[in-house]
Amino acid sequence: MADLLVLCSVTDDMRARLDAGFTYQLAKDLDDVDAWLKTEGAEVKYLLTDGHIGVPQNVLAGLPNLKAISSYGVGYDSIDTSITNARGLPVSHTPSVLDDEVATTALLLYLSVMRNFPAEIAQARSGAWEAEGGLGLSRSADNRKIGILGLGRIGKALARKLEPFGTDICYTGRSKQDVPYTYFADLTEMVTEVDALICIAPGGAATHHLVNAAVLRALGPEGVLINVGRGSVVDETALMAALAAGEVGGAGLDVFENEPHISQALREAPNVVVTPHIGSATVETRRAMGDLSIDNLLEMKAKGRMITPVPECAHLFE
């Protein structure tokens, strides 16, 4: 019998803590999840997943006595909180512990695109520098105007990291905040004035394809797009068309619409830097995320509340 079902992958550190706190079942070890749910699902009280897997409808339906869902990661758009709220099911995630790491990834992508680092590294490693000489000049990343789409915790961490570069920072989002940066209520208006747009917006219907063809045209042929939020925020078809037409100067992408698939056009574009969703992928940060995701479950099991519930279900603990 298991009181916890685990849908996501777990590290050795997480496994040790799970062993100490739960009787659990890893979904990856099941030949037939639906068959297991029919015989064992009623015993499961807790669910551990991540923001990409979320909670499939068949799993949620097969867990009638579920008490809480813990999501490993800050994004949780693949969990339908309207359904979980209707069942009185609290959902937690792992904010704050990954803010600086994802912000650093965004900064590295920005610097890599502006300074053409992937091509420069390849030129050095291949011997082409000696045989053919250097590549053309890149562009400076200093003293630029950068717009941030999504000035949440990660966005603010990024802004702090950008300030030493002499960056003029502006942002857009649902509302103006008490920060020393310029606010734009309209995304398109903002991108007409910036050298780079960095997206750190969450996924979901409200942000789907927010960066569309019109926004990309407004960004312009020297503008750079960076995305470390969710792949769904950017219309990839429009982005590929804009890059091919020279309507956008370059892009740095850590997230994609159909992960883990990355289109060949993006992989081969010389002015695009792609990474395989590694925003928080360091030993230290993933350990902190794993600890918090399990701490949320342990807190729920012991005290009937969670440490970092998602905003949509915080009212369940009031």
Side-chain angles (χ1 to χ4, degrees), residues 76-109:
Y76 55 94
D77 45 286
S78 57
I79 300 174
D80 192 332
T81 53
S82 65
I83 294 176
T84 57
N85 278 347
R87 283 183 52 173
L89 277 175
V91 177
S92 66
H93 62 154
T94 61
S96 301
V97 294
L98 49 66
D99 297 350
D100 277 312
E101 211 70 74
V102 177
T104 295
T105 300
L107 177 60
L108 288 169
L109 284 171

Side-chain angles (χ1 to χ4, degrees), residues 56-235:
Q57 292 301 312
N58 66 311
V59 172
L60 194 57
L63 302 175
N65 298 314
L66 196 61
K67 292 183 177 180
I69 299 167
S70 177
S71 184
Y72 172 84
V74 66
Y76 55 94
D77 45 286
S78 57
I79 300 174
D80 192 332
T81 53
S82 65
I83 294 176
T84 57
N85 278 347
R87 283 183 52 173
L89 277 175
V91 177
S92 66
H93 62 154
T94 61
S96 301
V97 294
L98 49 66
D99 297 350
D100 277 312
E101 211 70 74
V102 177
T104 295
T105 300
L107 177 60
L108 288 169
L109 284 171
Y110 166 68
L111 295 174
S112 294
V113 174
M114 294 297 288
R115 294 300 308 273
N116 198 25
F117 260 33
E120 298 286 8
I121 291 169
Q123 188 81 347
R125 286 186 180 278
S126 67
W129 179 35
E130 181 180 9
E132 304 169 6
L135 299 175
L137 299 178
S138 61
R139 298 174 63 203
S140 175
D142 293 296
N143 303 307
R144 295 291 183 177
K145 189 169 186 178
I146 295 179
I148 298 176
L149 171 57
L151 195 72
R153 290 177 295 263
I154 297 172
K156 290 183 178 69
L158 172 62
R160 291 192 296 271
K161 292 174 187 285
L162 286 168
E163 286 173 358
F165 289 86
T167 308
D168 182 2
I169 298 168
C170 53
Y171 70 100
T172 187
R174 287 175 291 185
S175 60
K176 186 176 181 180
Q177 302 183 46
D178 184 18
V179 292
Y181 313 126
T182 304
Y183 174 69
F184 285 84
D186 182 76
L187 172 60
T188 305
E189 181 183 354
M190 183 180 75
V191 298
T192 61
E193 298 194 18
V194 301
D195 299 297
L197 171 64
I198 302 182
C199 302
I200 318 179
T207 60
H208 185 260
H209 285 185
L210 200 57
V211 179
N212 54 27
V215 170
L216 293 167
R217 282 194 297 271
L219 185 57
E222 293 189 350
V224 166
L225 171 71
I226 307 296
N227 190 12
V228 295
R230 277 288 187 259
S232 59
V233 174
V234 176
D235 182 340

